[in-house]
Amino acid sequence: MHLQFRRGSATMSLSHRTGWFIATATVAATLAYGYACTPATKSPGAIGASDAASKVYVAPGAHDEFYAFLSGGFNGQVGVYGLPSGRLLKIIPVFSQFAENGYGYSEETKPMLETTFGNIPWDDLHHTALSQTNGEDDGRWLFVNANNTPRVARVDLSTFETSEILQIPNSGGNHGSPYITSNSEYVLASTRFSVPIPQADVPISDFAKKFKGTISFVKADQPGKMDVSFQLLVPGYNYDLARAGKGPSKDWVFFTSYNSEQAYEKLEVNASKADKDFIAAINWRTLETCAKDGKAENWPADYMHNVMDEFTRTAQVERKQSVKVLTPTTCPNSIYFLPTPKSPHGADVDPSGEYIVAGGKLATVIPVHSFTKLQQAIKDQAFETTIEGIPVLKYEAILAGEVKDPGLGPLHTEFDGKGYAYTSLFISSEIVKWKLGTWEIVDRVPTYYSIGHLMIPGGATTKPAGKYVVALNKITKDRYLPTGPELTQSAQLYDISGDKMKLLLDFPTTGEPHYGNAIEAAKIEKLQKKFFTLAENRHPQVTKAEREAGVSRNGKVVHVRMAAIRSHFAPDNIEGVQVGDTVLFHVTNLEQDWDIPHGFAIQGATTSELLVMPGETRTLRWVPKQIGVYPMYCTDFCSALHQEMSGYVRVSPVGSNVPLVG
Ligand code: K7E
């Protein structure tokens, strides 16, 4: 049942799932977790404790040099950390409800989680991509993917909030996403699983005949206006991670694909039979032209676009019904297959845009393709064959080189901008550093344990900062104080400023970090919004001054327009609410100052609290079930009189003649 392969004399047995491996046989298990018993103090690659400490020390009151945005995996959020300290600065909820600030619970934010499948309070967030200008991170936005119910989201880095979510139609899982082109023209998404497109009720055994993949090009350079510009229909394989080209290759994107065997059962064996699968090299300029020239067909598609309106601060939902679809035949010369050993997982492009590095995954080499050779091979028509209109280039014709014996399970590669590449090896649990052009390995360090992605600040751009590499690990084991069966996830920071990588720091992360990005703090600091301008608040239930506050009834619905300002609510006592009413507390925070949110909670509310930023209005829904007098209070400590910031709501029986006052 397991795949066998050899490296040196060791034969291993592996099964893979969700894009990474779990070693199953004893030998492989030893390799996978071989460092589990090494005491931290003897960690190879670690430098003297005081040396390391001084390199990650950020004095009290001082700021970190980089922001790091690490995906939270199955928590559906993004964790924001400072580097080099590893301090957690914020959690940004994107695809998951977050009680801490009411995201996905308040009436204004609930629609952000709306999909054509209904309101989904969770997803699996794997990858991040910072917006770019001329191939460099510009600090405006962070894009992230939802793996399970295909979506991409934009996080606005002036507010550190999710500002937009777009569902991806015609997709069977959105793992290979989001990737960004060098001027943020497009955010890219591939379908992880091929499915019937458009969806249909067909036997699964018709996989090879009826299942297709799509690559989606999401227009992303206008905030609030994300949409699928066009999709490219591709053969029924599994499509995965990608990078856009840079410099000379900036019009191209490179997606890995596997399961060219088109297996639909026992994938762990059947999808790994072929010696090579492919990297799909796609010219998005060509596709763009084809779409403009009317070569795309409009296909029915059902998907949603959710946007946080800038002035009402309320999410708006738009349902879309069709999408433009191109194929390799309707848009020739737009896609080529590059044969790549053994179910490639990651595809990464070096800062010059010349080298395309594949995570050979089950391969014993790291294959590197050359963009120059690729163009020549296209000119020379050095094709091995053609699959559904897609020319397959000859491996030898496009290969720049192979990194030999890198270790086991090469996954992802980042670059330091100084001519070196760093590849994560999941099974042998290490990072190897190798030289672009000569392909020789110059250093390796163990990671604790079972690294997935790795990340260098700016490592995906034309100008990596090249100071640190962060290992994003799958297994934590003994690195921290134990916390029952579930241990915290973990990242590790290595100094890469010298010839040898040096382990500086372990830091726990929130959720499972798959990928992340780090960026010079200055690029983001200067864009920060400190509060929302009350005068610009266009929420229909806003209270711009205490005298505008009040209560009103519309049948069984009671609206409470409430002002919050240090240190009271207005109104603070409300009477005349009846059992079974739907009470909507529209709380406006009247403060116009940085870092003064107010919270709001009422006993028995089955959603959560609110956290209301200065100048903003947020609404909590409450349906009292029993008569009584219920306290409400501010949940976010705001002043010395914070404890006094409270009030009561009196709930009377249905039909009571207590007048509504407040
Ligand atoms: Cu390799 Cu989801 Cu990017 Cu995790 S994936 S490792």
mmCIF file of all heavy atoms in Angstrom, residues 181-221:
data_model
loop_
_atom_site.group_PDB
_atom_site.id
_atom_site.type_symbol
_atom_site.label_atom_id
_atom_site.label_comp_id
_atom_site.label_asym_id
_atom_site.label_seq_id
_atom_site.Cartn_x
_atom_site.Cartn_y
_atom_site.Cartn_z
ATOM 1 N N THR A 181 1.151 38.129 -8.989
ATOM 2 C CA THR A 181 2.041 38.580 -10.061
ATOM 3 C C THR A 181 2.764 39.848 -9.590
ATOM 4 O O THR A 181 2.368 40.467 -8.598
ATOM 5 C CB THR A 181 1.248 38.860 -11.351
ATOM 6 O OG1 THR A 181 0.214 39.800 -11.056
ATOM 7 C CG2 THR A 181 0.623 37.579 -11.890
ATOM 8 N N SER A 182 3.817 40.233 -10.304
ATOM 9 C CA SER A 182 4.777 41.166 -9.720
ATOM 10 C C SER A 182 4.289 42.609 -9.591
ATOM 11 O O SER A 182 4.929 43.411 -8.931
ATOM 12 C CB SER A 182 6.107 41.113 -10.466
ATOM 13 O OG SER A 182 5.896 41.392 -11.816
ATOM 14 N N ASN A 183 3.153 42.945 -10.188
ATOM 15 C CA ASN A 183 2.543 44.241 -9.890
ATOM 16 C C ASN A 183 1.134 44.048 -9.343
ATOM 17 O O ASN A 183 0.262 44.902 -9.553
ATOM 18 C CB ASN A 183 2.545 45.144 -11.118
ATOM 19 C CG ASN A 183 3.896 45.852 -11.267
ATOM 20 O OD1 ASN A 183 4.317 46.583 -10.363
ATOM 21 N ND2 ASN A 183 4.575 45.602 -12.362
ATOM 22 N N SER A 184 0.930 42.932 -8.689
ATOM 23 C CA SER A 184 -0.359 42.593 -8.070
ATOM 24 C C SER A 184 -1.509 42.628 -9.077
ATOM 25 O O SER A 184 -2.656 42.871 -8.709
ATOM 26 C CB SER A 184 -0.695 43.550 -6.904
ATOM 27 O OG SER A 184 0.329 43.521 -5.949
ATOM 28 N N GLU A 185 -1.186 42.349 -10.353
ATOM 29 C CA GLU A 185 -2.268 42.335 -11.347
ATOM 30 C C GLU A 185 -3.268 41.234 -11.020
ATOM 31 O O GLU A 185 -4.474 41.435 -11.066
ATOM 32 C CB GLU A 185 -1.724 42.091 -12.756
ATOM 33 C CG GLU A 185 -0.832 43.192 -13.298
ATOM 34 C CD GLU A 185 0.646 42.898 -13.089
ATOM 35 O OE1 GLU A 185 1.001 42.111 -12.190
ATOM 36 O OE2 GLU A 185 1.468 43.482 -13.838
ATOM 37 N N TYR A 186 -2.719 40.051 -10.737
ATOM 38 C CA TYR A 186 -3.590 38.901 -10.484
ATOM 39 C C TYR A 186 -3.150 38.145 -9.244
ATOM 40 O O TYR A 186 -1.958 38.034 -8.957
ATOM 41 C CB TYR A 186 -3.557 37.911 -11.660
ATOM 42 C CG TYR A 186 -4.178 38.460 -12.919
ATOM 43 C CD1 TYR A 186 -3.381 38.936 -13.953
ATOM 44 C CD2 TYR A 186 -5.562 38.523 -13.060
ATOM 45 C CE1 TYR A 186 -3.950 39.454 -15.106
ATOM 46 C CE2 TYR A 186 -6.133 39.045 -14.216
ATOM 47 C CZ TYR A 186 -5.329 39.504 -15.225
ATOM 48 O OH TYR A 186 -5.896 40.020 -16.360
ATOM 49 N N VAL A 187 -4.161 37.626 -8.555
ATOM 50 C CA VAL A 187 -3.934 36.612 -7.538
ATOM 51 C C VAL A 187 -4.360 35.294 -8.184
ATOM 52 O O VAL A 187 -5.388 35.237 -8.863
ATOM 53 C CB VAL A 187 -4.741 36.938 -6.271
ATOM 54 C CG1 VAL A 187 -4.866 35.722 -5.377
ATOM 55 C CG2 VAL A 187 -4.083 38.082 -5.517
ATOM 56 N N LEU A 188 -3.545 34.269 -8.012
ATOM 57 C CA LEU A 188 -3.752 33.015 -8.730
ATOM 58 C C LEU A 188 -4.280 31.932 -7.821
ATOM 59 O O LEU A 188 -3.951 31.893 -6.648
ATOM 60 C CB LEU A 188 -2.414 32.546 -9.323
ATOM 61 C CG LEU A 188 -1.599 33.634 -10.022
ATOM 62 C CD1 LEU A 188 -0.190 33.155 -10.256
ATOM 63 C CD2 LEU A 188 -2.272 34.012 -11.316
ATOM 64 N N ALA A 189 -5.074 31.053 -8.408
ATOM 65 C CA ALA A 189 -5.623 29.942 -7.646
ATOM 66 C C ALA A 189 -5.772 28.729 -8.550
ATOM 67 O O ALA A 189 -6.276 28.850 -9.666
ATOM 68 C CB ALA A 189 -6.984 30.332 -7.068
ATOM 69 N N SER A 190 -5.326 27.579 -8.080
ATOM 70 C CA SER A 190 -5.503 26.352 -8.858
ATOM 71 C C SER A 190 -6.439 25.435 -8.098
ATOM 72 O O SER A 190 -6.598 25.556 -6.889
ATOM 73 C CB SER A 190 -4.166 25.643 -9.040
ATOM 74 O OG SER A 190 -3.698 25.156 -7.802
ATOM 75 N N THR A 191 -7.058 24.522 -8.823
ATOM 76 C CA THR A 191 -7.916 23.570 -8.134
ATOM 77 C C THR A 191 -7.072 22.395 -7.666
ATOM 78 O O THR A 191 -6.289 21.827 -8.418
ATOM 79 C CB THR A 191 -9.061 23.085 -9.035
ATOM 80 O OG1 THR A 191 -9.924 22.245 -8.291
ATOM 81 C CG2 THR A 191 -8.563 22.320 -10.240
ATOM 82 N N ARG A 192 -7.190 22.084 -6.402
ATOM 83 C CA ARG A 192 -6.422 20.962 -5.871
ATOM 84 C C ARG A 192 -6.951 19.634 -6.420
ATOM 85 O O ARG A 192 -6.190 18.779 -6.835
ATOM 86 C CB ARG A 192 -6.525 20.972 -4.360
ATOM 87 C CG ARG A 192 -5.880 19.768 -3.722
ATOM 88 C CD ARG A 192 -5.997 19.868 -2.242
ATOM 89 N NE ARG A 192 -5.442 18.730 -1.579
ATOM 90 C CZ ARG A 192 -5.577 18.514 -0.284
ATOM 91 N NH1 ARG A 192 -6.245 19.381 0.450
ATOM 92 N NH2 ARG A 192 -5.058 17.462 0.266
ATOM 93 N N PHE A 193 -8.254 19.489 -6.381
ATOM 94 C CA PHE A 193 -8.868 18.270 -6.897
ATOM 95 C C PHE A 193 -9.551 18.602 -8.211
ATOM 96 O O PHE A 193 -10.208 19.634 -8.327
ATOM 97 C CB PHE A 193 -9.919 17.744 -5.918
ATOM 98 C CG PHE A 193 -9.364 17.487 -4.544
ATOM 99 C CD1 PHE A 193 -9.661 18.347 -3.492
ATOM 100 C CD2 PHE A 193 -8.536 16.404 -4.302
ATOM 101 C CE1 PHE A 193 -9.146 18.128 -2.232
ATOM 102 C CE2 PHE A 193 -8.011 16.183 -3.035
ATOM 103 C CZ PHE A 193 -8.320 17.042 -1.998
ATOM 104 N N SER A 194 -9.413 17.727 -9.165
ATOM 105 C CA SER A 194 -10.215 17.888 -10.368
ATOM 106 C C SER A 194 -11.622 17.414 -10.047
ATOM 107 O O SER A 194 -11.821 16.515 -9.233
ATOM 108 C CB SER A 194 -9.611 17.094 -11.521
ATOM 109 O OG SER A 194 -8.552 17.838 -12.082
ATOM 110 N N VAL A 195 -12.579 18.041 -10.675
ATOM 111 C CA VAL A 195 -13.993 17.719 -10.469
ATOM 112 C C VAL A 195 -14.704 17.912 -11.812
ATOM 113 O O VAL A 195 -14.131 18.506 -12.724
ATOM 114 C CB VAL A 195 -14.646 18.637 -9.388
ATOM 115 C CG1 VAL A 195 -14.183 18.266 -7.987
ATOM 116 C CG2 VAL A 195 -14.369 20.108 -9.647
ATOM 117 N N PRO A 196 -15.937 17.414 -11.928
ATOM 118 C CA PRO A 196 -16.660 17.728 -13.164
ATOM 119 C C PRO A 196 -16.881 19.249 -13.226
ATOM 120 O O PRO A 196 -17.285 19.842 -12.236
ATOM 121 C CB PRO A 196 -18.001 17.008 -13.001
ATOM 122 C CG PRO A 196 -17.786 15.998 -11.917
ATOM 123 C CD PRO A 196 -16.735 16.561 -11.020
ATOM 124 N N ILE A 197 -16.559 19.852 -14.366
ATOM 125 C CA ILE A 197 -16.729 21.308 -14.503
ATOM 126 C C ILE A 197 -17.524 21.597 -15.761
ATOM 127 O O ILE A 197 -17.088 21.202 -16.848
ATOM 128 C CB ILE A 197 -15.360 22.017 -14.549
ATOM 129 C CG1 ILE A 197 -14.689 21.876 -13.163
ATOM 130 C CG2 ILE A 197 -15.509 23.493 -14.906
ATOM 131 C CD1 ILE A 197 -13.292 22.421 -13.083
ATOM 132 N N PRO A 198 -18.704 22.249 -15.674
ATOM 133 C CA PRO A 198 -19.367 22.588 -14.420
ATOM 134 C C PRO A 198 -19.784 21.329 -13.655
ATOM 135 O O PRO A 198 -19.869 20.251 -14.260
ATOM 136 C CB PRO A 198 -20.602 23.359 -14.878
ATOM 137 C CG PRO A 198 -20.536 23.495 -16.347
ATOM 138 C CD PRO A 198 -19.470 22.617 -16.851
ATOM 139 N N GLN A 199 -20.014 21.475 -12.355
ATOM 140 C CA GLN A 199 -20.356 20.321 -11.521
ATOM 141 C C GLN A 199 -21.511 19.526 -12.117
ATOM 142 O O GLN A 199 -22.418 20.087 -12.737
ATOM 143 C CB GLN A 199 -20.709 20.773 -10.101
ATOM 144 C CG GLN A 199 -19.497 20.847 -9.181
ATOM 145 C CD GLN A 199 -18.894 19.480 -8.848
ATOM 146 O OE1 GLN A 199 -19.294 18.439 -9.369
ATOM 147 N NE2 GLN A 199 -17.895 19.498 -7.957
ATOM 148 N N ALA A 200 -21.442 18.203 -11.979
ATOM 149 C CA ALA A 200 -22.467 17.332 -12.546
ATOM 150 C C ALA A 200 -22.496 16.035 -11.763
ATOM 151 O O ALA A 200 -21.524 15.700 -11.074
ATOM 152 C CB ALA A 200 -22.151 17.047 -14.011
ATOM 153 N N ASP A 201 -23.602 15.331 -11.885
ATOM 154 C CA ASP A 201 -23.768 14.045 -11.225
ATOM 155 C C ASP A 201 -23.245 12.963 -12.157
ATOM 156 O O ASP A 201 -23.957 12.499 -13.042
ATOM 157 C CB ASP A 201 -25.280 13.884 -10.930
ATOM 158 C CG ASP A 201 -25.625 12.488 -10.474
ATOM 159 O OD1 ASP A 201 -24.732 11.788 -9.948
ATOM 160 O OD2 ASP A 201 -26.801 12.101 -10.635
ATOM 161 N N VAL A 202 -21.956 12.588 -12.009
ATOM 162 C CA VAL A 202 -21.362 11.576 -12.895
ATOM 163 C C VAL A 202 -20.641 10.521 -12.044
ATOM 164 O O VAL A 202 -20.226 10.819 -10.922
ATOM 165 C CB VAL A 202 -20.349 12.203 -13.898
ATOM 166 C CG1 VAL A 202 -21.007 13.248 -14.771
ATOM 167 C CG2 VAL A 202 -19.151 12.801 -13.169
ATOM 168 N N PRO A 203 -20.491 9.297 -12.563
ATOM 169 C CA PRO A 203 -19.759 8.281 -11.800
ATOM 170 C C PRO A 203 -18.318 8.724 -11.572
ATOM 171 O O PRO A 203 -17.698 9.296 -12.489
ATOM 172 C CB PRO A 203 -19.800 7.040 -12.703
ATOM 173 C CG PRO A 203 -20.807 7.326 -13.750
ATOM 174 C CD PRO A 203 -20.972 8.801 -13.857
ATOM 175 N N ILE A 204 -17.790 8.430 -10.396
ATOM 176 C CA ILE A 204 -16.417 8.829 -10.088
ATOM 177 C C ILE A 204 -15.437 8.107 -11.012
ATOM 178 O O ILE A 204 -14.374 8.627 -11.345
ATOM 179 C CB ILE A 204 -16.111 8.568 -8.596
ATOM 180 C CG1 ILE A 204 -17.034 9.459 -7.740
ATOM 181 C CG2 ILE A 204 -14.652 8.872 -8.256
ATOM 182 C CD1 ILE A 204 -17.050 9.112 -6.263
ATOM 183 N N SER A 205 -15.827 6.939 -11.478
ATOM 184 C CA SER A 205 -14.948 6.194 -12.385
ATOM 185 C C SER A 205 -14.801 6.878 -13.749
ATOM 186 O O SER A 205 -13.959 6.496 -14.551
ATOM 187 C CB SER A 205 -15.467 4.767 -12.562
ATOM 188 O OG SER A 205 -16.811 4.807 -13.005
ATOM 189 N N ASP A 206 -15.605 7.890 -13.994
ATOM 190 C CA ASP A 206 -15.437 8.681 -15.221
ATOM 191 C C ASP A 206 -14.374 9.766 -15.069
ATOM 192 O O ASP A 206 -14.267 10.656 -15.921
ATOM 193 C CB ASP A 206 -16.762 9.364 -15.618
ATOM 194 C CG ASP A 206 -17.695 8.390 -16.331
ATOM 195 O OD1 ASP A 206 -17.265 7.242 -16.565
ATOM 196 O OD2 ASP A 206 -18.842 8.775 -16.619
ATOM 197 N N PHE A 207 -13.618 9.680 -13.978
ATOM 198 C CA PHE A 207 -12.618 10.705 -13.675
ATOM 199 C C PHE A 207 -11.839 11.139 -14.926
ATOM 200 O O PHE A 207 -11.808 12.325 -15.276
ATOM 201 C CB PHE A 207 -11.641 10.170 -12.608
ATOM 202 C CG PHE A 207 -10.681 11.197 -12.081
ATOM 203 C CD1 PHE A 207 -10.881 11.796 -10.842
ATOM 204 C CD2 PHE A 207 -9.555 11.575 -12.810
ATOM 205 C CE1 PHE A 207 -9.986 12.749 -10.354
ATOM 206 C CE2 PHE A 207 -8.663 12.526 -12.329
ATOM 207 C CZ PHE A 207 -8.883 13.106 -11.092
ATOM 208 N N ALA A 208 -11.195 10.182 -15.585
ATOM 209 C CA ALA A 208 -10.309 10.554 -16.700
ATOM 210 C C ALA A 208 -11.063 11.248 -17.835
ATOM 211 O O ALA A 208 -10.518 12.122 -18.493
ATOM 212 C CB ALA A 208 -9.579 9.321 -17.218
ATOM 213 N N LYS A 209 -12.317 10.894 -18.007
ATOM 214 C CA LYS A 209 -13.081 11.474 -19.108
ATOM 215 C C LYS A 209 -13.721 12.816 -18.753
ATOM 216 O O LYS A 209 -13.788 13.728 -19.546
ATOM 217 C CB LYS A 209 -14.187 10.507 -19.547
ATOM 218 C CG LYS A 209 -13.731 9.516 -20.617
ATOM 219 C CD LYS A 209 -14.890 8.650 -21.089
ATOM 220 C CE LYS A 209 -15.150 7.538 -20.064
ATOM 221 N NZ LYS A 209 -16.366 6.790 -20.230
ATOM 222 N N LYS A 210 -14.250 12.886 -17.526
ATOM 223 C CA LYS A 210 -15.138 14.007 -17.221
ATOM 224 C C LYS A 210 -14.571 15.036 -16.248
ATOM 225 O O LYS A 210 -15.147 16.101 -16.093
ATOM 226 C CB LYS A 210 -16.452 13.458 -16.636
ATOM 227 C CG LYS A 210 -17.196 12.490 -17.555
ATOM 228 C CD LYS A 210 -18.430 13.166 -18.140
ATOM 229 C CE LYS A 210 -19.086 12.321 -19.220
ATOM 230 N NZ LYS A 210 -19.881 11.220 -18.662
ATOM 231 N N PHE A 211 -13.496 14.684 -15.530
ATOM 232 C CA PHE A 211 -13.023 15.611 -14.502
ATOM 233 C C PHE A 211 -11.990 16.576 -15.092
ATOM 234 O O PHE A 211 -11.190 16.184 -15.934
ATOM 235 C CB PHE A 211 -12.406 14.853 -13.320
ATOM 236 C CG PHE A 211 -13.395 14.126 -12.451
ATOM 237 C CD1 PHE A 211 -14.517 13.525 -12.981
ATOM 238 C CD2 PHE A 211 -13.200 14.045 -11.073
ATOM 239 C CE1 PHE A 211 -15.430 12.844 -12.182
ATOM 240 C CE2 PHE A 211 -14.101 13.381 -10.262
ATOM 241 C CZ PHE A 211 -15.217 12.773 -10.806
ATOM 242 N N LYS A 212 -12.057 17.794 -14.628
ATOM 243 C CA LYS A 212 -11.141 18.817 -15.148
ATOM 244 C C LYS A 212 -10.556 19.629 -13.994
ATOM 245 O O LYS A 212 -11.087 19.645 -12.886
ATOM 246 C CB LYS A 212 -11.905 19.784 -16.054
ATOM 247 C CG LYS A 212 -12.323 19.181 -17.378
ATOM 248 C CD LYS A 212 -11.145 19.077 -18.313
ATOM 249 C CE LYS A 212 -11.539 18.395 -19.616
ATOM 250 N NZ LYS A 212 -10.409 17.683 -20.205
ATOM 251 N N GLY A 213 -9.484 20.321 -14.331
ATOM 252 C CA GLY A 213 -8.928 21.279 -13.390
ATOM 253 C C GLY A 213 -9.114 22.690 -13.932
ATOM 254 O O GLY A 213 -9.409 22.869 -15.117
ATOM 255 N N THR A 214 -8.962 23.665 -13.049
ATOM 256 C CA THR A 214 -8.982 25.057 -13.504
ATOM 257 C C THR A 214 -7.847 25.821 -12.831
ATOM 258 O O THR A 214 -7.444 25.504 -11.718
ATOM 259 C CB THR A 214 -10.288 25.785 -13.113
ATOM 260 O OG1 THR A 214 -10.487 25.639 -11.701
ATOM 261 C CG2 THR A 214 -11.482 25.275 -13.875
ATOM 262 N N ILE A 215 -7.362 26.802 -13.533
ATOM 263 C CA ILE A 215 -6.458 27.789 -12.947
ATOM 264 C C ILE A 215 -7.209 29.118 -13.045
ATOM 265 O O ILE A 215 -7.652 29.508 -14.126
ATOM 266 C CB ILE A 215 -5.133 27.903 -13.731
ATOM 267 C CG1 ILE A 215 -4.491 26.514 -13.953
ATOM 268 C CG2 ILE A 215 -4.183 28.871 -13.055
ATOM 269 C CD1 ILE A 215 -3.797 25.905 -12.791
ATOM 270 N N SER A 216 -7.366 29.775 -11.911
ATOM 271 C CA SER A 216 -8.161 31.007 -11.881
ATOM 272 C C SER A 216 -7.264 32.223 -11.759
ATOM 273 O O SER A 216 -6.286 32.208 -11.012
ATOM 274 C CB SER A 216 -9.116 30.993 -10.688
ATOM 275 O OG SER A 216 -9.970 29.874 -10.771
ATOM 276 N N PHE A 217 -7.620 33.249 -12.492
ATOM 277 C CA PHE A 217 -6.889 34.523 -12.458
ATOM 278 C C PHE A 217 -7.812 35.569 -11.856
ATOM 279 O O PHE A 217 -8.797 35.969 -12.481
ATOM 280 C CB PHE A 217 -6.430 34.892 -13.873
ATOM 281 C CG PHE A 217 -5.406 33.915 -14.394
ATOM 282 C CD1 PHE A 217 -5.797 32.674 -14.874
ATOM 283 C CD2 PHE A 217 -4.060 34.227 -14.344
ATOM 284 C CE1 PHE A 217 -4.850 31.759 -15.313
ATOM 285 C CE2 PHE A 217 -3.107 33.316 -14.787
ATOM 286 C CZ PHE A 217 -3.500 32.080 -15.275
ATOM 287 N N VAL A 218 -7.486 35.959 -10.638
ATOM 288 C CA VAL A 218 -8.351 36.873 -9.887
ATOM 289 C C VAL A 218 -7.770 38.274 -9.962
ATOM 290 O O VAL A 218 -6.635 38.511 -9.516
ATOM 291 C CB VAL A 218 -8.451 36.427 -8.411
ATOM 292 C CG1 VAL A 218 -9.228 37.443 -7.588
ATOM 293 C CG2 VAL A 218 -9.095 35.045 -8.315
ATOM 294 N N LYS A 219 -8.526 39.175 -10.531
ATOM 295 C CA LYS A 219 -8.087 40.574 -10.619
ATOM 296 C C LYS A 219 -8.087 41.134 -9.206
ATOM 297 O O LYS A 219 -9.095 41.048 -8.496
ATOM 298 C CB LYS A 219 -9.065 41.332 -11.510
ATOM 299 C CG LYS A 219 -8.540 42.642 -12.001
ATOM 300 C CD LYS A 219 -7.542 42.449 -13.147
ATOM 301 C CE LYS A 219 -6.970 43.799 -13.569
ATOM 302 N NZ LYS A 219 -5.508 43.805 -13.699
ATOM 303 N N ALA A 220 -6.959 41.678 -8.789
ATOM 304 C CA ALA A 220 -6.843 41.992 -7.365
ATOM 305 C C ALA A 220 -6.269 43.368 -7.086
ATOM 306 O O ALA A 220 -6.096 43.745 -5.937
ATOM 307 C CB ALA A 220 -5.970 40.942 -6.689
ATOM 308 N N ASP A 221 -5.966 44.147 -8.130
ATOM 309 C CA ASP A 221 -5.271 45.410 -7.861
ATOM 310 C C ASP A 221 -6.199 46.538 -7.418
ATOM 311 O O ASP A 221 -5.731 47.593 -7.006
ATOM 312 C CB ASP A 221 -4.384 45.832 -9.039
ATOM 313 C CG ASP A 221 -5.103 45.747 -10.375
ATOM 314 O OD1 ASP A 221 -6.323 45.465 -10.374
ATOM 315 O OD2 ASP A 221 -4.453 45.958 -11.408
#
